[in-house]
Amino acid sequence: MENGFVDCHCHISAHEFEEDFEDVILRTREAGVKTLVAVTEEVGEFARVLQLQESYPDLVAPCFGIHPLQAAEGPQQHSVKPQDLDVALQHFYNHKERLVAVGEIGLDFTPWCAPTQQDRDDQVTVFIKQLSIAKELDLPVNVHSRSAARVTIETMKEQGISRALLHNFAGKPSVALEGVKAGYLFSFPPAVCRSKQRDKLIKQIPLEHICLETDSPALGLHQHVRNEPANIILPCRYIADVKGLPTETVRLVTAHNAYRLFPKAKTR
C-alpha cells in the first residue's frame, strides 16, 4: 500500500469529473496513486463520495465536511452559516464507520469571501463544531486556512486537536512551525510549482510533516486547466527539488505520513 502515492486532499466527487470519470481513475492508477482522500464541501456531496467509495473501495477514502465557503443558487458563494452545518450533522454519525476524516473544514477570511465580522464569527462557530465532531468520532481533520493561517492553527490547538492536515498551506513559515510543534501536517498541490513563492515554507517544514495533494479539479499546474489526481507527481518532484532530496524519498515519506494521519485510509 505504501509503495504508491497518496493524494491527501482531492475533490473526486466534483461535477468536473463526471463526463470522463473512468478515464480519470485509469490515469490515477497508472500514475501510481493508491489512495484518494476524497473531501467534500457541502452536504449535497456526501452521497456521491460514499457511492464512489462503494465503486472503488481500494482507492476512495471518503471525508465529510462543510467548507467555510458555500455555493449559493447562482455562481456566488457565501460564507458558511451555522444552519449549513445543522442540515449535515446527522450524516457524520450515520456514516462514521466509513469516514477517514472530517473535511474539508476550516476558515477563509479572504476579504471578499468573509467581509463582515459576523461572517468570520460564523465560520469559527462552524469550524469549532466540526472539530468537536472529529474528536467525538476519533477522526483527523482535513483543513482549509486561506487568509487565516494563524487563527486556524490557534483554534485547533485550543480545541485539543492533535491530528490535522493543513491543505495548500500558504501562511508564514513561523506560523507553520507552530503547527509542526502541535503535530500537524501540511500538503501542497501542483499549483505550488507555478512560482517559488513557497520555497522557504517548504524548506522549513520537516519532510515528516509534509503530504502530497492535488486539490483536483482545482490548483493544477495551469490555472484554468482541470487538475486531476494523476498530477500528484508534480508537487512530489517540486518538494524533492526544493529540499534537495530524491523524488522517491519524498514519495515514500509522504505516503507514510498520510497513512499515519489517516489510518482508516490504509486499512480499507
Side-chain angles (χ1 to χ4, degrees):
M1 178 79 75
E2 289 189 22
N3 291 333
F5 291 104
V6 180
D7 186 344
C8 276
H9 185 105
C10 67
H11 299 265
I12 200 64
S13 57
H15 66 84
E16 287 90 341
F17 292 123
E18 286 174 2
E19 286 190 12
D20 62 343
F21 191 83
E22 291 294 335
D23 291 335
V24 170
I25 293 300
L26 182 63
R27 289 191 291 270
T28 296
R29 294 192 191 276
E30 287 175 345
V33 179
K34 299 299 183 186
T35 301
L36 299 175
V37 179
V39 295
T40 48
E41 296 185 339
E42 53 194 18
V43 68
E45 289 184 89
F46 290 3
R48 171 67 174 158
V49 82
L50 292 181
Q51 176 194 348
L52 293 177
Q53 186 208 24
E54 288 171 10
S55 300
Y56 307 93
D58 63 322
L59 184 65
V60 176
C63 312
F64 282 2
I66 300 299
H67 192 279
L69 302 179
Q70 293 290 291
E73 287 304 312
Q76 297 299 312
Q77 290 180 312
H78 68 265
S79 188
V80 72
K81 304 295 180 193
Q83 52 266 37
D84 293 317
L85 177 59
D86 291 344
V87 297
L89 275 177
Q90 194 55 46
H91 295 280
F92 288 90
Y93 298 97
N94 291 349
H95 302 286
K96 61 184 179 182
E97 299 304 326
R98 297 175 64 180
L99 302 180
V100 302
V102 171
E104 177 176 0
I105 66 174
L107 301 173
D108 193 319
F109 289 174
T110 313
W112 55 89
C113 296
T116 70
Q117 187 61 46
Q118 186 62 54
D119 288 332
R120 295 187 285 276
D121 290 347
D122 283 345
Q123 284 193 21
V124 171
T125 297
V126 171
F127 185 38
I128 288 175
K129 177 61 180 174
Q130 291 185 98
L131 294 176
S132 172
I133 292 168
K135 284 199 299 182
E136 187 179 347
L137 300 182
D138 192 26
L139 291 172
V141 289
N142 205 318
V143 177
H144 175 104
S145 58
R146 190 166 62 165
S147 300
R150 187 179 298 279
V151 66
T152 301
I153 288 173
E154 286 177 352
T155 301
M156 290 196 296
K157 288 165 66 176
E158 287 167 3
Q159 298 301 314
I161 296 297
S162 59
R163 294 182 295 152
L165 178 77
L166 287 121
H167 106 94
N168 188 36
F169 190 79
K172 294 177 180 176
S174 59
V175 176
L177 292 176
E178 287 301 310
V180 168
K181 284 182 195 170
Y184 304 154
L185 279 74
F186 299 81
S187 59
F188 299 96
V192 78
C193 309
R194 292 180 198 164
S195 76
K196 296 188 176 295
Q197 202 170 353
R198 282 188 270 183
D199 286 12
K200 184 179 177 184
L201 177 66
I202 290 168
K203 281 178 184 171
Q204 292 199 27
I205 299 174
L207 185 59
E208 290 70 28
H209 287 264
I210 291 178
C211 290
L212 303 176
E213 65 159 296
T214 62
D215 198 32
S216 50
L219 296 186
L221 185 60
H222 304 290
Q223 196 163 0
H224 300 296
V225 178
R226 185 190 71 175
N227 188 21
E228 59 182 67
N231 293 327
I232 196 80
I233 185 64
L234 299 176
C236 183
R237 285 179 184 150
Y238 191 83
I239 291 164
D241 287 346
V242 170
K243 286 188 168 292
L245 295 169
T247 302
E248 181 70 0
T249 298
V250 174
R251 182 175 67 84
L252 287 168
V253 174
T254 55
H256 176 77
N257 296 343
Y259 290 130
R260 178 164 49 88
L261 178 62
F262 304 116
K264 287 175 74 176
K266 185 178 182 182
T267 56
R268 290 180 346 280

